[in-house]
Amino acid sequence: MREAYHDQLDSIFDDLAGICRRVETAVSLATHALMNGDAAVAERVISGDVEIDVAREQVEETAFDLLTLQQPVATDLRTIVAALRMVSELERMGDLSVHVAKVARLRVPDVAVPDEIRPTIERMAAVAEDMVGRVCEVIISRDVEAAIALGRDDEEMDGLRRRSFAELLSDDWTHGVEAAVDVALLGRYYERIADHAVSIANRVIFVVTGHHPAALAEQ
Amino acid sequence: MREAYHDQLDSIFDDLAGICRRVETAVSLATHALMNGDAAVAERVISGDVEIDVAREQVEETAFDLLTLQQPVATDLRTIVAALRMVSELERMGDLSVHVAKVARLRVPDVAVPDEIRPTIERMAAVAEDMVGRVCEVIISRDVEAAIALGRDDEEMDGLRRRSFAELLSDDWTHGVEAAVDVALLGRYYERIADHAVSIANRVIFVVTGHHPAALAEQ
């Protein structure tokens, strides 16, 4: 019985990693749609989000069954509660990818991101996608060092966000209000995706060590 | 023993309502700081957020103690897990109030919101604050009808968000990129505060009825 129980606990983390991979794909496709003004790919991200929602519900059901039937204590309890929180965050990351895709769709056949600021936004998207990919690995490996390293990437994201503001508020900005608002909101969405990746990494640290990383207080 | 246990369960909801009231105050003060360019009040919101974080940690500890020591099942289990999620959302609402306060502080001695768009942003702030106030009541009363009603207010918020975009993207907008970006992000922050209020109301519905409201799937 205990054996089957730990198999179920491991299987929740496999399911979380699976959802995380779907989110990684959503971030990647949303960025592709954004940078290329590709309506079909944007639609794919928007309509595909329901699969992430369904997968979340399945993880929640499994977690509740484990809590109800197995009455776990200590580490196992902490792990299941952490899983419930992680799956909520993964779902939000999916929603944020949908927000990016919707900005892309709104501007088709144009591209929402003007050429001059493209390198900054591309880098934000790349950092976000890389952080999502790495947090998927962390969910599987429960590697505390790798989880801690994710927090450092978040600093690059903060710097990119500041740079994007400097660019769109500079006198050289000739693309008007609409593009500036798009870029500001896109920056916010990618930043939040990165924040959630760090938060999930911190929950893995908590599950493994029993301690909240100091960084968690700053989320 | 069971008596003391249910007292503790009730006391978690009292604590949640207390945090909710702090959040309501933070939203109100952040809006005051924003609309009046009041740096001192903005600072109060920013520095006061740590109290919300500490209160969240206390609720989490109590919830974990209940889960570990009492091994609750069914309704009680659902209630404690819901409380853990609600407190995370309340903390986020506090963070979003801090974001509003930081926009206010950044523009002091000016006011970030230009006069023409002030009525729309004031209304967004009022709707958000009202929704926070009402969700505090719902946490205490567990009144399902009142919880459902909150979802309807969210539609007004969506309409206000659209109106704010129409205003700042119109040819009449003379306040440039910086003010437009501020207004777009402020709209996002108030909208997210409202979203979280609806989400908490939906969690109360789930705790009372055992069913997720259909609206929850749309969060």
Side-chain angles (χ1 to χ4, degrees):
Chain A
M1 186 71 179
R2 302 300 295 173
E3 196 66 23
Y5 165 64
H6 278 105
D7 285 351
Q8 271 183 293
L9 204 55
D10 281 343
S11 106
I12 286 188
F13 274 74
D14 290 346
D15 292 344
L16 286 176
I19 297 174
C20 192
R21 290 297 179 198
R22 282 173 188 270
V23 170
E24 187 184 10
T25 302
V27 174
S28 170
L29 291 176
T31 300
H32 174 88
L34 178 69
M35 293 304 178
N36 299 284
D38 187 329
V41 171
E43 288 299 342
R44 209 172 126 196
V45 176
I46 295 162
S47 64
D49 190 52
V50 67
E51 291 169 30
I52 293 174
D53 296 346
V54 168
R56 172 191 53 87
E57 281 166 28
Q58 285 168 348
V59 167
E60 289 184 350
E61 273 175 39
T62 310
F64 270 92
D65 286 351
L66 278 176
L67 284 172
T68 307
L69 302 174
Q70 304 292 348
Q71 301 280 319
V73 294
T75 307
D76 291 345
L77 177 65
R78 201 163 65 201
T79 303
I80 298 170
V81 172
L84 280 167
R85 292 172 153 187
M86 288 157 74
V87 79
S88 293
E89 300 208 68
L90 288 168
E91 187 194 13
R92 274 302 301 156
M93 293 157 86
D95 293 344
L96 289 159
S97 307
V98 168
H99 288 322
V100 171
K102 284 184 174 173
V103 173
R105 185 176 64 176
L106 196 62
R107 302 300 168 220
V108 167
D110 295 329
V111 172
V113 179
D115 280 345
E116 295 99 296
I117 205 164
R118 199 179 168 100
T120 307
I121 301 299
E122 275 178 338
R123 183 68 199 146
M124 286 182 106
V127 170
E129 193 182 325
D130 178 63
M131 287 172 77
V132 176
R134 281 163 54 207
V135 86
C136 301
E137 302 283 343
V138 164
I139 289 169
I140 291 291
S141 68
R142 315 213 198 156
D143 176 340
V144 170
E145 286 304 312
I148 291 169
L150 262 173
R152 287 194 287 270
D153 274 18
D154 204 34
E155 289 168 25
E156 180 178 0
M157 184 60 94
D158 291 346
L160 288 164
R161 189 96 199 284
R162 281 193 298 275
R163 195 209 294 177
S164 73
F165 279 118
E167 286 171 329
L168 61 86
L169 297 177
S170 88
D171 292 338
D172 299 336
W173 183 261
T174 58
H175 304 285
V177 167
E178 186 176 85
V181 166
D182 282 348
V183 167
L185 289 173
L186 289 164
R188 176 82 188 148
Y189 302 146
Y190 283 118
E191 182 187 40
R192 289 297 301 155
I193 290 170
D195 286 346
H196 283 295
V198 173
S199 175
I200 291 171
N202 285 340
R203 293 192 197 286
V204 171
I205 296 171
F206 179 64
V207 164
V208 176
T209 67
H211 297 287
H212 287 288
L216 201 59
E218 296 161 27
Q219 293 302 306
Chain B
M1 188 67 180
R2 301 301 295 176
E3 197 67 22
Y5 165 63
H6 278 105
D7 284 352
Q8 271 183 292
L9 204 53
D10 281 342
S11 104
I12 285 189
F13 274 74
D14 291 346
D15 291 344
L16 286 177
I19 297 174
C20 193
R21 291 298 180 198
R22 282 174 189 268
V23 170
E24 187 184 9
T25 302
V27 174
S28 171
L29 291 176
T31 301
H32 173 89
L34 178 69
M35 293 305 177
N36 299 283
D38 188 328
V41 171
E43 288 298 343
R44 210 172 125 197
V45 175
I46 295 161
S47 63
D49 190 54
V50 67
E51 290 169 31
I52 293 174
D53 296 346
V54 168
R56 172 189 56 85
E57 283 166 27
Q58 284 167 349
V59 166
E60 288 184 349
E61 274 176 38
T62 310
F64 271 92
D65 286 351
L66 278 176
L67 284 172
T68 307
L69 302 175
Q70 304 292 345
Q71 302 280 318
V73 292
T75 306
D76 292 346
L77 176 64
R78 201 164 64 201
T79 303
I80 297 170
V81 172
L84 280 167
R85 291 172 153 187
M86 288 157 74
V87 80
S88 293
E89 301 209 64
L90 288 168
E91 187 193 13
R92 273 302 302 155
M93 293 156 87
D95 293 343
L96 289 159
S97 307
V98 167
H99 289 322
V100 171
K102 283 185 174 173
V103 173
R105 184 176 65 178
L106 197 62
R107 302 299 169 220
V108 167
D110 295 329
V111 173
V113 180
D115 280 345
E116 296 99 293
I117 205 164
R118 200 177 166 102
T120 306
I121 302 300
E122 275 179 337
R123 183 68 199 146
M124 287 182 107
V127 169
E129 193 183 325
D130 178 62
M131 288 173 77
V132 176
R134 282 163 53 207
V135 87
C136 301
E137 302 284 344
V138 164
I139 290 169
I140 292 291
S141 69
R142 313 210 200 159
D143 177 339
V144 169
E145 287 304 312
I148 291 169
L150 262 173
R152 287 194 287 269
D153 274 19
D154 203 35
E155 290 169 24
E156 181 178 359
M157 184 59 95
D158 291 344
L160 287 164
R161 190 96 199 285
R162 283 193 297 275
R163 195 209 294 176
S164 73
F165 279 118
E167 287 173 330
L168 60 85
L169 297 178
S170 88
D171 292 338
D172 299 338
W173 183 261
T174 57
H175 304 285
V177 167
E178 185 176 85
V181 166
D182 281 349
V183 166
L185 289 173
L186 288 164
R188 176 84 187 148
Y189 302 146
Y190 283 119
E191 182 187 39
R192 290 297 302 154
I193 290 170
D195 287 345
H196 283 295
V198 172
S199 174
I200 291 171
N202 285 340
R203 292 192 198 284
V204 171
I205 295 171
F206 179 65
V207 163
V208 176
T209 68
H211 298 287
H212 288 290
L216 200 59
E218 298 162 26
Q219 294 301 307

